[in-house]
């Protein structure tokens, strides 16, 4: 199983701690709860320590060029806008539908990654909001031209193509032949380690049965054609693995979603009436729910004895002091817990039906715990709602796909 950690600006010390056994030469099984590390391109520039920790532990290191930002206007003072391949003015699909321009973009993106120590390469990738707006054509060409570039320059590093697309447009069975299938086929001449499948949709985390069924069924379909990894998919990464993905990528209790329109919009030039959303904070990963909540919210849940017992990390090697360890060492806890979840799936029979059944039953339990947890949060005056209905929807979606798998086998 692949577990790829997206390391943020403040994660360099945590990463050094997590990889310390391997860096010291202690090659014990499962000693390092990661299979690779990825940094956003601006973070790679600012935090060389992340690359150094990955290198010392023998972990592959990726630099995400975030080239989907080309499709929106970016603030010139943003770190990404200062990268050698960045353009802070908005680029249209027609602007990139040119072989020479694509080759120049590929050259700058690949050389930037290599200069910053990447040992697996990410070709330029774009966010695909529709099947028919020209971006799909450009993305297919970028993948094919990247293969030619790497071959002509005799660059043999493993490659991780990213497919970043609207789930509504690319996540239906009717769209597969025109969307996901040709994108995977366009990777055929690349030295692919895995293909990052990164679907985007609104209101992630509070999802309908249709949304989750589309996510899991498309992941299952794509996995029949290549090694698929859920990219920026912390919320439902384990479910995607049960459906056939080889792993998933997420941050340490952060960066668990992939809403590309928001990521592009939040980097636009600010005005006096608009402030960029978001901000730093401490979070706590709750394994039952497959997601993280703010530390202040977790503290309220830990204050209720019944809820605390249900959400407490049971691994003394991870959190020897229970809730205190979960809250203080929240990044380490998130990484170790997610890795342990994948290890548990990996130990199960390889058949998708077994793994999907586990996802469904875990989601049923999560819905029950969430109902009580929401009462606790409400009583504490905290405006936070754990999406109990989405956990129920995940259970039903996993069960439906499991039934399809069993029927196809029979």
């Amino acid at each position: 199983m692949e577990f790829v950690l997206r390391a943020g600006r403040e994660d360099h010390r945590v990463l050094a701690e997590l990889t310390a056994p391997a860096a010291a030469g202690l090659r014990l099984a499962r000693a390092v709860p990661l299979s690779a590390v990825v940094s956003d391109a601006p973070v790679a520039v600012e935090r060389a320590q992340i690359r150094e920790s990955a290198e010392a532990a023998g972990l592959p290191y990726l630099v995400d060029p975030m080239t989907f930002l080309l499709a929106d206007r970016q603030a010139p003072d943003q770190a990404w806008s200062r990268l050698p391949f960045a353009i802070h003015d908005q680029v249209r699909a027609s602007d990139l539908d040119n072989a020479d321009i694509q080759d120049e973009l590929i050259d700058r993106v690949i050389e930037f990654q290599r200069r910053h120590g990447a040992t697996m390469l990410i070709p330029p990738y774009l966010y695909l909001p529709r099947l028919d707006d020209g971006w799909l054509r450009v993305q297919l060409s970028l993948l094919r031209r990247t293969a030619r570039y790497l071959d002509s320059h005799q660059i043999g590093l493993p490659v991780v193509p990213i497919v970043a697309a609207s789930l509504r447009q690319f996540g239906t069975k009717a769209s597969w032949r025109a969307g996901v299938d040709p994108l995977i086929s366009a990777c055929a001449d690349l030295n692919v380690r895995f293909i990052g499948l990164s679907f985007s949709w609104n209101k992630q985390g509070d999802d309908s049965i249709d949304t989750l069924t589309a996510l899991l069924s498309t992941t299952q379909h794509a996995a029949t054609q290549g090694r698929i990894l859920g990219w920026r998919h912390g919320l439902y990464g384990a479910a995607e693995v049960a459906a056939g993905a080889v792993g998933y990528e997420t941050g340490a209790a952060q960066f668990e979603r992939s809403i590309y329109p928001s990521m592009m919009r939040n980097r636009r030039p600010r005005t006096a009436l608009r402030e960029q959303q978001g901000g730093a904070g401490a979070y706590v990963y709750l394994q039952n729910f497959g997601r993280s909540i703010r530390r202040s919210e977790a503290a309220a849940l830990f204050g209720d004895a019944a809820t605390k017992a249900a959400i407490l990390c049971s691994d003394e090697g991870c959190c020897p002091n229970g809730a205190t360890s979960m809250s203080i060492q929240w990044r380490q806890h998130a990484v170790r817990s997610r890795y342990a979840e994948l290890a548990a799936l990996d130990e199960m029979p390889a058949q998708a039906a077994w793994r999907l059944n586990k996802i469904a039953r875990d989601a049923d339990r999560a819905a029950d715990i969430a109902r009580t947890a929401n009462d606790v949060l409400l009583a504490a005056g905290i405006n936070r709602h754990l999406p109990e209905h989405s956990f129920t929807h995940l259970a039903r979606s996993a069960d439906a796909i499991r039934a399809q798998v069993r029927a196809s086998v029979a």
Side-chain angles (χ1 to χ4, degrees), residues 297-375:
E297 299 162 351
L301 298 182
F302 289 142
D304 178 78
T307 306
K308 178 179 180 180
I311 65 174
L312 203 63
C313 178
S314 59
D315 183 354
E316 292 186 359
C318 175
C319 295
N321 295 314
T324 300
S325 297
M326 291 174 68
S327 301
I328 295 177
Q329 294 190 308
W330 53 278
R331 291 183 174 92
Q332 296 93 323
H333 161 70
V335 173
R336 293 185 180 117
S337 293
R338 286 189 179 278
Y339 184 83
E341 293 166 17
L342 287 181
L345 282 174
D346 198 30
E347 291 172 358
M348 295 182 67
Q351 292 87 345
W354 286 81
R355 296 176 177 184
L356 287 166
N357 182 63
K358 172 176 170 50
I359 294 297
R361 305 292 72 79
D362 287 349
D364 279 332
R365 286 189 288 274
D368 290 338
I369 298 169
R371 294 185 190 100
T372 302
N374 283 332
D375 290 340

Side-chain angles (χ1 to χ4, degrees), residues 282-284 286 292-303 311 373 376-377 380 382-386:
Y283 298 80
V284 177
L286 302 180
S292 305
I293 64 175
R294 291 190 178 277
R295 187 159 60 185
S296 58
E297 299 162 351
L301 298 182
F302 289 142
I311 65 174
V376 173
L377 293 172
I382 295 176
N383 184 25
R384 167 75 183 196
H385 175 79
L386 290 162

Side-chain angles (χ1 to χ4, degrees), residues 69-301:
L69 293 174
L70 290 167
D72 205 335
R73 189 182 175 203
Q74 305 301 310
D77 60 345
Q78 288 278 353
W80 184 86
S81 295
R82 297 192 294 270
L83 299 176
F85 52 83
I87 302 173
H88 59 79
D89 288 331
Q90 184 175 6
V91 174
R92 298 167 298 180
S94 58
D95 297 327
L96 285 179
D97 198 6
N98 175 283
D100 291 337
I101 291 175
Q102 290 179 20
D103 287 344
E104 182 178 358
L105 175 63
I106 291 166
D107 178 68
R108 292 189 178 192
V109 167
I110 296 300
E111 283 305 303
F112 174 85
Q113 293 176 59
R114 295 181 71 196
R115 188 164 64 251
H116 287 88
T119 55
M120 294 198 291
L121 301 174
I122 299 176
Y125 69 101
L126 308 162
Y127 173 61
L128 311 177
R130 299 183 57 84
L131 285 159
D132 58 358
D133 61 1
W135 287 114
L136 175 59
R137 170 186 167 89
V138 172
Q139 182 63 78
L140 290 170
S141 180
L142 284 170
L143 289 168
R144 297 183 182 115
R145 300 193 76 83
T146 297
R148 295 173 196 163
Y149 173 88
L150 295 174
D151 183 61
S152 66
H153 287 76
Q154 298 183 326
I155 299 172
L157 293 173
V159 180
V160 178
I162 307 299
V163 174
S166 162
L167 181 63
R168 181 183 293 273
Q169 285 283 309
F170 287 77
T172 65
K173 187 175 182 180
S175 73
W176 292 344
R177 181 174 293 182
V180 169
D181 291 356
L183 285 163
I184 294 176
S185 296
C187 300
D189 293 331
L190 292 165
N191 179 24
V192 173
R193 169 71 176 263
F194 43 72
I195 298 172
L197 196 59
S198 190
F199 284 121
S200 180
W201 66 97
N202 293 329
K203 298 181 180 179
Q204 288 187 25
D206 194 359
D207 302 300
S208 67
I209 291 177
D210 289 344
T211 294
L212 294 174
T213 300
L215 175 66
L216 298 185
S217 62
T218 305
T219 299
Q220 180 191 41
H221 170 75
T224 64
Q225 303 178 57
R227 299 188 80 245
I228 299 301
L229 181 132
W231 191 259
R232 293 184 182 268
H233 276 190
L235 294 185
Y236 300 111
E240 290 178 81
V241 169
V246 299
Y248 70 95
E249 177 267 313
T250 191
Q254 299 183 80
F255 317 122
E256 296 176 339
R257 306 165 193 256
S258 57
I259 308 177
Y260 284 92
S262 294
M263 286 191 280
M264 292 187 284
R265 184 171 57 248
N266 288 344
R267 289 173 171 82
R268 289 175 184 166
R270 292 191 285 267
T271 67
L273 298 177
R274 180 183 178 277
E275 292 297 328
Q276 188 173 5
Q277 300 298 309
Y283 298 80
V284 177
Y285 177 69
L286 302 180
Q287 185 171 348
N288 309 78
F289 306 132
R291 66 198 62 206
S292 305
I293 64 175
R294 291 190 178 277
R295 187 159 60 185
S296 58
E297 299 162 351
L301 298 182

